[in-house]
Amino acid sequence: MAPTVTSMEVPKVASIKTLADSASLTFVPSEYTYTRNPNEQGDANDPEHSNPIIDFALLTSGSPDQRAKVIQELRRACEEWGFFQVTNHGVPEALMQSMIDACHRFFDLPEEEKKEFQTRNLLDPIKCGTSFNVDIEKVHLWRDFLKVIAHPEFNSLNKPAGYSEVSLEFSKRTREVATEILKGISESLGLEADYIAKAMNWDRGLQILAANYYPECPQPDKAIGLPPHTDHGLVTLLIQNEMGGLEVKHKDQWVLVNAAPGAFIVNIGDQMQILTNDKYKSIWHRAVVNNKATRISIAVPHGPSLDTPALPIPELLEREGQAPKYIGMTYEKFMELQASPAALTKPCLHHLRVKHN
């Protein structure tokens, strides 16, 4: 008799690394087949769609005039794109590369060694797996993941060797950059620099190191790494290896992000869209795959504390003469919503919209 599967067991879906490493794999299996609109290909070469670049050094240590200019550039980037790149941020490229290498070594571990971190629980400190949510999704994703909560409490892995030390330094330095970006965004809205941080209990805020492993795919046009989605937090900082694959939706077109060497790619999250009452929008983005080499990205979402609800900022509503467009929900409940079947029927933010008679 076959053993009974309990509700706490992780579904038996092989990692995408195991599948991709199979020498006989020459096509995308049906359960991974994802249909894309052929007219929605990303283009990184159109100058009209080049991602804005923010010079972090001028934001933090430039003259008052330089800072004011960068704040205006930040405002335009948030209003027009919701995505931008940050250069001259002071985080050593060697540290960023070491973080990518450490994550690569984790994904290279034997499957048996990774099993102890496989879990269904949304906010377990360390979790790894494949796809997104194999319980509810109709198509599996060409992607394995590792998610580690680094703040308000730092968590880490005891393997592979060196991961813990590198992730501690990387998460600390990345959070410092995110804190300064948050100050700049706050000022770009005409608020005090620490307004959003105080309102969102940033000192207890959530930071996750989310590594994604996208192996080469025999038919990249028939699979997807991550389908179109928005991020749940305030701001997300992302780094990647030399393989691109991040596309953002801008002016109804998918644009391939051509990352500057050593830059952080930053995007606005759902909590920021709520706070600004749609002034700064959480933009749709996706991860496509390729048939040349493995892509590794590390997204670092930063959010409020789990018990903090985001609500439209009263000062902005008053200044703009607007009514609030969203009801409040704690960040933890919002994250649960994003991982639920309800998120498959309509975007999470739509569930929070104020319904007018």
Side-chain angles (χ1 to χ4, degrees), residues 154-186:
F154 176 73
N155 297 276
S156 192
L157 303 161
N158 55 9
K159 56 189 173 185
Y163 177 93
S164 184
E165 296 80 3
V166 170
S167 66
L168 175 62
E169 182 65 13
F170 177 76
S171 60
K172 182 178 143 214
R173 296 292 296 269
T174 303
R175 186 170 164 79
E176 288 169 357
V177 174
T179 300
E180 291 301 325
I181 291 171
L182 198 71
K183 288 178 183 176
I185 290 174
S186 208

Side-chain angles (χ1 to χ4, degrees), residues 59-76:
L59 181 67
T60 54
S61 54
S63 68
D65 284 350
Q66 287 173 323
R67 179 175 170 81
K69 182 171 178 286
V70 175
I71 294 288
Q72 289 306 309
E73 291 172 356
L74 190 56
R75 177 183 60 77
R76 282 195 300 274

